[in-house]
Amino acid sequence: MITLDADPFEYRFSIETAALVIIDMQRDFIERGGFGETLGNDVTRLQAIVSAVQGVLHAWRAAGGFVVHTREAHRPDLSDCPAAKRRRGNPSLRIGDRGPMGRILVAGEPGSEIVPALAAIDGELVIDKPGKGAFYATPLHDELQRRGIAQLVVMGVTTEVCVQTTLREANDRGYECLLVEDGTESYFPEFKAATLAMIRAQGAIVGWTAQSARLLAALPR
Ligand code: C5J
């Protein structure tokens, strides 16, 4: 069992029963011309965490841990995209429209791919999800249960949308979750800070948080 100095108190996990879950580190959120930018956001904030996420990913792989990557990506016919989701907001391009990286948030298009520095390798699970949460309408829970996973170490974007929704879904399903503070980011710094505070409040009501340096120091080499 590994014990991590986390907030609001120690987080315990074993590399055999934990999964590293990396949420939506896709070109559509992180690069210019994707979904994030069509909504008027500055994507450079998200680009800044790629190296921290990569550091944890490499250390987790070296420790022999299981890795899950998620992508917010719809079927090409958009049959899994509610009309209300497509209508929402005032983006310059809507889900399914063609942009500089192909059709926005559509599986198989260049924009829906994970950024090259974090691409999945053989043996890692990649989940395409139609919602913000990674458990909604996906096989994720079954895949984790099948492998005896009980703890999730989570990174990715954006902190208050897909990351927070996934953490809450996971918590309700009985997983103990740690969010890596410098491995997640939002287009809005105040939303990131509020999310971290909400997660660890009231005695880890949703989960724990810690800087990646603490996790890296605790992982077996
Ligand atoms: C958003 C996400 N923000 N991955 N998706 O729409 O957080």
Side-chain angles (χ1 to χ4, degrees):
M1 192 62 82
I2 297 170
T3 301
L4 194 69
D5 181 17
D7 287 310
F9 51 84
E10 284 178 347
Y11 177 73
R12 290 178 209 278
F13 69 101
S14 137
I15 201 75
E16 288 79 27
T17 60
L20 180 68
V21 180
I22 305 180
I23 309 281
D24 300 0
M25 291 296 289
Q26 296 163 254
R27 299 183 64 199
D28 260 330
F29 293 106
I30 291 171
E31 294 186 13
R32 300 210 54 192
F35 185 60
E37 197 179 63
T38 69
L39 289 164
N41 297 307
D42 171 13
V43 294
T44 57
R45 292 188 54 78
L46 273 52
Q47 287 166 7
I49 68 161
V50 171
S51 71
V53 174
Q54 191 184 40
V56 173
L57 173 60
H58 286 175
W60 194 270
R61 283 173 178 161
F66 180 57
V67 180
V68 180
H69 305 259
T70 73
R71 303 184 290 207
E72 185 173 345
H74 293 279
R75 295 187 196 123
D77 64 4
L78 302 187
S79 57
D80 59 354
C81 181
K85 178 177 181 181
R86 189 161 191 272
R87 260 197 321 266
R88 195 76 51 82
N90 190 24
S92 54
L93 292 170
R94 291 186 187 276
I95 295 169
D97 289 349
R98 194 161 293 283
M101 292 191 286
R103 295 179 66 206
I104 299 283
L105 287 196
V106 170
E109 298 286 337
S112 85
E113 293 305 325
I114 293 164
V115 293
L118 306 175
I121 61 173
D122 279 355
E124 296 178 349
L125 180 65
V126 180
I127 296 276
D128 280 341
K129 59 185 185 56
K132 302 305 182 190
F135 289 84
Y136 168 68
T138 75
L140 180 57
H141 186 50
D142 288 346
E143 293 281 357
L144 296 174
Q145 293 296 294
R146 197 160 72 72
R147 292 173 171 86
I149 301 293
Q151 299 102 26
L152 304 182
V153 174
V154 179
M155 302 191 288
V157 296
T158 61
T159 315
E160 78 283 9
V161 185
C162 290
V163 172
Q164 176 164 218
T165 306
T166 299
L167 281 165
R168 290 176 182 275
E169 287 181 331
N171 190 47
D172 282 349
R173 285 165 176 78
Y175 298 97
E176 293 185 303
C177 301
L178 174 84
L179 177 58
V180 180
E181 294 170 11
D182 51 333
T184 185
E185 196 47 89
S186 169
Y187 301 117
F188 308 94
E190 66 277 23
F191 291 172
K192 173 177 175 176
T195 302
L196 294 177
M198 279 189 270
I199 285 165
R200 61 190 174 217
Q202 304 177 74
I205 197 152
V206 177
W208 288 253
T209 75
Q211 288 284 328
S212 63
R214 291 188 187 168
L215 177 60
L216 293 174
L219 281 174
R221 283 158 209 274

